[in-house]
Amino acid sequence: MVTPDFINTEAFTNLYLLLVNSVYILLPLSLILLLFSKISFKVTIFLLGVYASYSIVIPYLLKVPLINNFVLTFGDYSFFIYLIFSLIFGFVFYHLVNVAFVVGGFLLGGLVGYSIGTFIISSNGEWMNNLPFSISYIPWIIFAILGVIIAIIFSKNYQSIISIISVIFGSFILSFYTIYLLEKHTSITIGNNSLLNGWEQLSQPEFFGIFISLIIYMILGFYLIVRSNRKKANN
């Protein structure tokens, strides 16, 4: 099977190495993100920050020679260095996410509003000639109104959105470990067990195994969210 181009990128290679080398951290983390996304969204945000640190931030920081040399100097303790950094990043990430959600919601709604305002201006309706202000303000007025509305919606549904994101992240990482650990620690052969060598040699059975596992885990995670919401509504 020819793997998709995005899998053969450096980012996916770095992600693979982190998954393989940090299984004792990321496997429990993926289970928590998947199964307990609704218990405490504060904990979920923190864990998402830890995950983002391991999968995104650390690989790019290691490209900086000064940081990479520092880690190599303490090679025997690199695991603890990554862990401490990820915990700190998780706390910082927690405080940034709420602000980012509100700002992101405002910008998203604003861009949609600006597009609507631009479309209204292009219609050249006669009623616009009677406005007490320049029609060039229309896109910005709708930008502000829709931006505030979407920001409020995002803020009100903050916990639900975080729960959905945690299920997606947890499902992805757990689907990888399902196939990888079966190949490594059992006598089961999936395709030719090439996932043990990296993404580049991924066989078709392994790809479908990961994909099917991903769908199953996501269904389970979303089911738990729905069940939790129903219990909360009945109480």
Side-chain angles (χ1 to χ4, degrees):
M1 174 183 176
V2 178
T3 56
D5 291 338
F6 68 87
I7 286 182
N8 295 321
T9 62
E10 184 178 358
F12 254 80
T13 300
N14 290 333
L15 175 59
Y16 177 86
L17 293 175
L18 280 172
L19 290 173
V20 171
N21 296 327
S22 305
V23 59
Y24 296 111
I25 294 294
L26 295 182
L27 179 56
L29 176 59
S30 66
L31 289 170
I32 294 173
L33 291 175
L34 176 64
L35 301 177
F36 304 105
S37 61
K38 291 291 289 184
I39 290 180
S40 174
F41 73 98
K42 293 181 179 180
V43 175
T44 299
I45 296 171
F46 170 74
L47 293 176
L48 284 173
V50 174
Y51 173 83
S53 173
Y54 263 93
S55 61
I56 300 173
V57 179
I58 290 177
Y60 283 97
L61 287 178
L62 290 177
K63 294 181 180 180
V64 179
L66 180 63
I67 296 177
N68 188 51
N69 291 335
F70 172 79
V71 174
L72 290 177
T73 302
F74 300 93
D76 294 337
Y77 304 97
S78 59
F79 170 81
F80 297 101
I81 294 174
Y82 297 153
L83 178 59
I84 293 172
F85 176 84
S86 297
L87 292 176
I88 295 174
F89 185 84
F91 282 110
V92 174
F93 184 78
Y94 166 74
H95 291 289
L96 292 178
V97 165
N98 193 17
V99 176
F101 257 73
V102 175
V103 174
F106 177 79
L107 292 177
L108 177 62
L111 290 174
V112 173
Y114 189 88
S115 299
I116 294 173
T118 303
F119 175 77
I120 292 174
I121 291 176
S122 65
S123 64
N124 294 320
E126 295 183 0
W127 61 273
M128 287 189 291
N129 296 326
N130 299 321
L131 293 175
F133 52 83
S134 172
I135 61 173
S136 62
Y137 293 136
I138 292 178
W140 293 108
I141 293 173
I142 302 179
F143 178 102
I145 294 174
L146 275 185
V148 170
I149 292 174
I150 298 300
I152 293 174
I153 292 175
F154 272 38
S155 179
K156 294 292 185 180
N157 295 278
Y158 179 61
Q159 182 174 346
S160 297
I161 295 173
I162 290 296
S163 297
I164 291 172
I165 293 175
S166 70
V167 166
I168 294 173
F169 273 95
S171 298
F172 171 76
I173 208 72
L174 195 56
S175 64
F176 169 86
Y177 281 135
T178 297
I179 304 302
Y180 179 84
L181 295 177
L182 280 175
E183 292 182 353
K184 185 173 183 179
H185 297 292
T186 70
S187 58
I188 296 176
T189 300
I190 305 174
N192 53 10
N193 284 5
S194 54
L195 181 61
L196 297 175
N197 301 320
W199 296 114
E200 298 80 6
Q201 305 298 323
L202 189 68
S203 66
Q204 189 175 48
E206 290 171 320
F207 174 81
F208 283 113
I210 293 175
F211 180 76
I212 293 172
S213 299
L214 174 64
I215 298 301
I216 293 174
Y217 291 136
M218 287 180 63
I219 291 174
L220 173 61
F222 291 139
Y223 166 76
L224 293 175
I225 289 176
V226 172
R227 189 180 69 173
S228 176
N229 289 336
R230 287 177 178 174
K231 286 183 178 180
K232 186 179 295 186
N234 293 331
N235 292 334

